[in-house]
Amino acid sequence: MWFSNLVRLHLTWPILTYAATWITLLTLTVAVGSLSAQVGFVSAISSSSSFSQKCRTRGSIRIPLDVPGDILCFPAHMFVKSKVDLIVPPVFAAVIVVASASLVRAVALWEHL
């Protein structure tokens, strides 16, 4: 019984290697995509960044934007942590992984011509 399972595993080894390779590539793609946005935002709000200058209005926060010349200050009470902040990033990552896997499956990259 265990020998037949070992033989079956050995025959499907190339498929398992191929699947593991795609899973690794998809995981790395999602990791780079999600971490790059966070690193960019954290570097923009660091104390050494030009974006982190104080607003002239008391109780306001400067928000980094794409256009460096614009200075937009918003009231600090508009930016508070919520419980949704813990749920949205993992759900977004899961949706990206499912979409990537669905694309790979739809293209049928594993089929031999």
Side-chain angles (χ1 to χ4, degrees):
M1 178 80 174
W2 65 272
F3 184 71
S4 65
N5 288 337
L6 183 64
V7 169
R8 189 175 307 141
L9 180 65
H10 179 68
L11 292 176
T12 61
W13 190 255
I15 295 172
L16 293 175
T17 305
Y18 194 72
T21 303
W22 274 107
I23 288 171
T24 303
L25 287 173
L26 290 173
T27 303
L28 289 174
T29 303
V30 169
V32 167
S34 64
L35 288 177
S36 63
Q38 292 178 8
V39 168
F41 183 77
V42 169
S43 67
I45 63 171
S46 68
S47 61
S48 62
S49 173
S50 63
F51 285 118
S52 63
Q53 299 170 357
K54 293 184 179 180
C55 291
R56 293 184 180 140
T57 308
R58 187 176 182 123
S60 294
I61 298 174
R62 182 177 176 179
I63 304 299
L65 299 173
D66 291 335
V67 182
D70 290 342
I71 297 174
L72 293 177
C73 296
F74 296 95
H77 68 84
M78 294 177 67
F79 301 96
V80 294
K81 288 187 178 181
S82 68
K83 293 180 181 178
V84 176
D85 294 337
L86 297 173
I87 297 170
V88 172
V91 170
F92 178 72
V95 168
I96 295 299
V97 169
V98 169
S100 300
S102 298
L103 176 68
V104 170
R105 185 174 180 191
V107 175
L109 294 174
W110 61 86
E111 292 192 16
H112 302 287
L113 297 175

